[in-house]
Amino acid sequence: MHPSALYFGKKFFDTYIKDISEPLNIIEIGSQDVNGSIRDFFVCKDNIIYTGLDFTQGKGVDILISDPYRLPVEDASTDVVVTSSCLEHSELFWLSFSEMLRILKPGGLIYIRARS
């Protein structure tokens, strides 16, 4: 992961997650740890359930997916969806975004970082 991706992931955590006391369910799309992971910023709290989804098994991957346009997650079950350096690889990124909205609870947060 590029250093700027880690920097902005940390900024998101510090701004929106760091001081939250209630339990949070966080889903990361494209979670394989390649040269660092934003997961490290979130798992430092006991009340966070963090699940990583990716196409390839590896460090940081909890659930393997085969279809980026249909995530194996219940509707409105996720407090925070994060994805970094992933959507730029999706041919139909708007469908992936729709899936993020489907799994997000009302009032939830989405963090997207995509390279230009």
Side-chain angles (χ1 to χ4, degrees):
M1 181 171 285
H2 192 273
S4 67
L6 293 172
Y7 172 82
F8 288 113
K10 175 102 169 69
K11 286 288 189 186
F12 174 79
F13 172 79
D14 288 343
T15 302
Y16 297 103
I17 309 296
K18 189 175 185 178
D19 295 325
I20 292 177
S21 59
E22 70 264 9
L24 292 178
N25 182 20
I26 299 177
I27 297 288
E28 181 181 2
I29 301 167
S31 63
Q32 187 179 17
D33 182 342
V34 178
N35 300 322
S37 173
I38 60 174
R39 180 183 195 127
D40 297 336
F41 303 127
F42 296 97
V43 297
C44 63
K45 297 186 71 134
D46 293 333
N47 60 347
I48 291 179
I49 300 167
Y50 196 101
T51 306
L53 310 177
D54 209 313
F55 287 113
T56 306
Q57 186 61 46
K59 183 179 176 186
V61 180
D62 302 301
I63 298 174
L64 287 174
I65 61 171
S66 58
D67 183 353
Y69 312 118
R70 186 68 187 152
L71 300 175
V73 179
E74 298 282 327
D75 293 356
S77 63
T78 305
D79 298 296
V80 181
V81 177
V82 297
T83 185
S84 183
S85 304
C86 181
L87 283 186
E88 66 268 24
H89 301 287
S90 176
E91 294 175 358
L92 306 171
F93 63 86
W94 56 91
L95 296 178
S96 298
F97 182 72
S98 291
E99 274 295 278
M100 292 179 206
L101 294 176
R102 180 187 65 78
I103 68 173
L104 195 65
K105 290 179 182 177
L109 297 171
I110 297 179
Y111 170 75
I112 297 173
R113 182 190 180 279
R115 295 182 60 178
S116 59

